[in-house]
Amino acid sequence: MCKKVTNIRDIAKLAGVSVATVSRALTKPEVVRPATIEKVKRTIAALDYSPNAVASSLRRQRSDNIIVVVPNIHNPFYSGIVQGIENIAHDNGYKILLGETQDNQDRLDRYTAMIASRGADGLVLLGSLLPTVVRESINAGKESPVPLVLACERFDGLLSPSVEIDNVAASRLATEHLLGQGHERIGTISGPSANTLSVDRLQGYRAALRKSQIRFDRQLVVEGDFSIRSGYQAMLQLLALNPPPSAVVCANDEMAIGAQKAARELGLDMPEDLAVVGFDDIRFAQYAVPPLTTIAQPTIEIGETAMRLMIRVLTASVAPGERVVLPHELIVRESTGRRLSTAPPRRARPTRRAKS
Amino acid sequence: MCKKVTNIRDIAKLAGVSVATVSRALTKPEVVRPATIEKVKRTIAALDYSPNAVASSLRRQRSDNIIVVVPNIHNPFYSGIVQGIENIAHDNGYKILLGETQDNQDRLDRYTAMIASRGADGLVLLGSLLPTVVRESINAGKESPVPLVLACERFDGLLSPSVEIDNVAASRLATEHLLGQGHERIGTISGPSANTLSVDRLQGYRAALRKSQIRFDRQLVVEGDFSIRSGYQAMLQLLALNPPPSAVVCANDEMAIGAQKAARELGLDMPEDLAVVGFDDIRFAQYAVPPLTTIAQPTIEIGETAMRLMIRVLTASVAPGERVVLPHELIVRESTGRRLSTAPPRRARPTRRAKS
DNA sequence: GTGAAAGCGCTAACAG
DNA sequence: CTGTTAGCGCTTTCAC
């Protein structure tokens, strides 16, 4: 079991050079004579040596690990972002470690603690939960105690850089799409109000109504928690209203999919009886029944931008509070349709795309 | 930026004890006088010290990190498994680091390399890709060069322990469910044939047909890649047959959801014209149209079992090639229905569960 | 270009 | 119970 592993000294000895030279051959080849490098490389291959990253971390006082924390790994929306982060991280010699919080503060704090204990150099946060130490720093008016970048969420008072789309504008766009189709009684299934992202989306919805001079009706807003089930329940609640809405804007696709099920169970035809809009354009969106009109976010690019920001944070070259806003896009599918037309749109219509 | 962080020596000095005592107070409190512990703790709090895990790893020659590699973080099926792994890991002082491969060999190898470089102690693999070094060891007839546990997949010739359900039996159960409803022309959308899991499920399908004395028809087998899109395409292919199948068994839920879309687009009613069965019972399954009959796997338990096996691997107390088989369950929803009944089943029927 | 040597911060003998 | 001390394996001055 415990056969001794080779270390840099073994390589040095066998290659007939000093440990310093082996180290240099591996990390700064440009300062070592090619012939020496060759000799070292051969020895390394022969002994199947692999450098001890832990020792290296200890010595260099950095791990080159970045922790990325997502609320739920199964949320399809995060997948693209993580991918983008990985891309840039890899190109710059960083490794990314993924953590899942399940919206559990304790787990988030545990991942965050890896930074204090030098297991990682920085934290990229997706989702709306903040580590306790970070929250305390906000209250104290200080900057984050850990190198931090927020991808897809924003926190008032926090000076760490963030990447996001303009959620207000995106949600307004979605709502205006419905207004443009003649809908006047439009409901919304919002996200948790503790969440800036939810607040922004709700605000966009209200802004669109206001611009069309439609009175805001509290009853038409039901709060969900981004889960499929909560969308289902929220839709039941909306459809129990008298009169019910003819269209509903959902703060994410999962809730929209739950909402569609509720409408279907009540015998409503979509989009004729009820139009539904989602948010995120997850992979399941185009397989929803009917396929979901939604807002697409540039997930890969969000991830790439977040990681670039992280690199700048680690090299102390980012302005505190820097915010990057990326463009969104309205994807029109069959869950919304011309309300006023006589021939209701049918399935198998090709997907159209409208630049935001 | 670079203010010096406190280390164990600072604590020792300020608390008036030796570094060894500080270390012991933190890691073996039972051998230290309570009063001393108290003193140390107070000092630690005062200086906001947190132990350097990297130094500790270097000294102890272990990191207490376990890497869990999933093919795609967005696959809802893996979420529960990861959760189970986390549970047991946390209870035993391990941290888990998640890696996503995107079915990319290079990325998998990079995560695996973290073990050689001491960044992690072991690897739990979900999915069907094997690290290069592991594959080589199989070819050489040797045991895995890294502590390895397979959750949900099996590889012939590999001696590492694994956890899985009986995929043959589960797939047979699903197929028999359809046979029991009077279907005779049953197709299947299988997974990649490189995959033991796919092979097992296909075998279960064939076994069920054989038992019912139904001739196996090559045409009724279409291979997908577990993606929604591939399920869609495979179903188009199956429905182009003459005669088409009256029921289809899919090797996972995502393909089943894609398949349902294809059937819907061709104007088929489910389950009347076509019954569909999935596999995994992902969260979206009950929101499919119609809700999907599927095989549920005990995901949390799979994860917990895998992590327990890993702990035993690390303490050298597991028999090579140990396999744990966990029970599965058929979840009957509306995507399958009594084919021979006169009144076709309608929506909103409560979900029934049948123990496997 | 290369080598010698001093730690990075911690843990685990060993001694008391 | 507590202190002293020798490394874990690597990187990085500082010499040559």
Side-chain angles (χ1 to χ4, degrees), chain B residues 47-338:
Chain B
L47 297 196
D48 194 26
Y49 163 72
S50 87
N52 186 322
V54 174
S56 168
S57 285
L58 176 59
R59 179 61 233 235
R60 292 183 306 128
Q61 303 281 52
R62 52 183 288 192
S63 65
D64 294 330
N65 286 156
I66 300 296
I67 308 211
V68 177
V69 174
V70 302
N72 302 290
I73 61 165
H74 59 242
N75 187 319
F77 170 59
Y78 299 124
S79 194
I81 299 184
V82 172
Q83 168 93 57
I85 293 174
E86 259 274 0
N87 291 159
I88 303 301
H90 181 233
D91 291 351
N92 290 274
Y94 288 95
K95 280 163 293 178
I96 83 121
L97 272 17
L98 216 52
E100 185 188 25
T101 61
Q102 308 268 12
D103 285 316
N104 176 340
Q105 181 76 53
D106 192 54
R107 284 172 72 159
L108 175 56
D109 287 341
R110 258 152 51 207
Y111 287 116
T112 308
M114 287 186 65
I115 294 173
S117 65
R118 319 311 177 316
D121 301 340
L123 180 65
V124 177
L125 264 189
L126 317 199
S128 62
L129 207 57
L130 236 37
T132 304
V133 290
V134 173
R135 223 197 330 260
E136 288 169 355
S137 78
I138 296 181
N139 295 338
K142 293 188 296 197
E143 69 178 41
S144 170
V146 299
L148 176 67
V149 170
L150 303 172
C152 77
E153 188 95 6
R154 164 178 59 83
F155 292 90
D156 297 318
L158 181 59
L159 295 177
S160 301
S162 64
V163 194
E164 52 181 345
I165 60 164
D166 183 339
N167 281 290
V168 178
S171 178
R172 173 143 41 99
L173 177 62
T175 310
E176 283 168 350
H177 166 68
L178 294 170
L179 289 165
Q181 299 189 328
H183 292 282
E184 296 190 332
R185 192 159 169 78
I186 301 175
T188 189
I189 301 177
S190 73
S193 55
N195 203 306
T196 55
L197 193 139
S198 305
V199 171
D200 286 354
R201 291 181 190 173
L202 184 56
Q203 195 187 323
Y205 159 83
R206 294 187 64 163
L209 295 189
R210 196 178 318 117
K211 207 177 113 201
S212 289
Q213 321 229 5
I214 293 178
R215 197 179 56 79
F216 172 70
D217 182 348
R218 264 243 136 271
Q219 289 198 309
L220 286 172
V221 179
V222 179
E223 183 175 320
D225 64 5
F226 287 139
S227 70
I228 314 184
R229 173 180 303 274
S230 77
Y232 174 83
Q233 287 161 341
M235 184 60 106
L236 289 182
Q237 204 174 318
L238 284 172
L239 293 179
L241 293 176
N242 190 2
S246 70
V248 174
V249 179
C250 304
N252 77 346
D253 285 347
E254 308 213 35
M255 292 198 293
I257 287 170
Q260 286 181 312
K261 179 178 168 111
R264 215 159 37 233
E265 285 186 358
L266 293 177
L268 298 180
D269 284 331
M270 290 170 278
E272 296 80 2
D273 301 327
L274 181 74
V276 177
V277 180
F279 207 113
D280 287 349
D281 195 29
I282 65 176
R283 284 165 315 117
F284 286 97
Q286 62 180 298
Y287 294 89
V289 183
L292 206 53
T293 292
T294 189
I295 299 284
Q297 303 192 41
T299 51
I300 301 262
E301 205 185 336
I302 290 175
E304 294 184 342
T305 306
M307 188 60 209
R308 288 204 189 91
L309 281 172
M310 175 53 76
I311 291 172
R312 290 177 52 211
V313 168
L314 294 175
T315 54
S317 63
V318 67
E322 179 160 339
R323 288 203 190 326
V324 179
V325 176
L326 265 17
H328 55 269
E329 189 181 351
L330 177 70
I331 309 287
V332 179
R333 299 203 182 91
E334 292 103 86
S335 72
T336 58
R338 291 242 140 253

Side-chain angles (χ1 to χ4, degrees), chain A residues 5 50 53-54 73-74 79 83 86 90 98 102 107 110-111 116-118 254 261 264 283 286 289, chain B residues 5 53-54 73-74 79 83 86 90 98 102 107 110-111 116-118 254 261 264 283 286 289:
Chain A
V5 284
S50 88
V54 174
I73 61 165
H74 59 242
S79 193
Q83 168 92 58
E86 259 274 1
H90 181 234
L98 216 53
Q102 309 269 11
R107 284 172 71 160
R110 258 153 51 206
Y111 287 115
S117 65
R118 316 313 180 305
E254 308 213 35
K261 178 176 168 112
R264 217 161 32 236
R283 285 166 315 118
Q286 62 179 298
V289 183
Chain B
V5 285
V54 174
I73 61 165
H74 59 242
S79 194
Q83 168 93 57
E86 259 274 0
H90 181 233
L98 216 52
Q102 308 268 12
R107 284 172 72 159
R110 258 152 51 207
Y111 287 116
S117 65
R118 319 311 177 316
E254 308 213 35
K261 179 178 168 111
R264 215 159 37 233
R283 284 165 315 117
Q286 62 180 298
V289 183

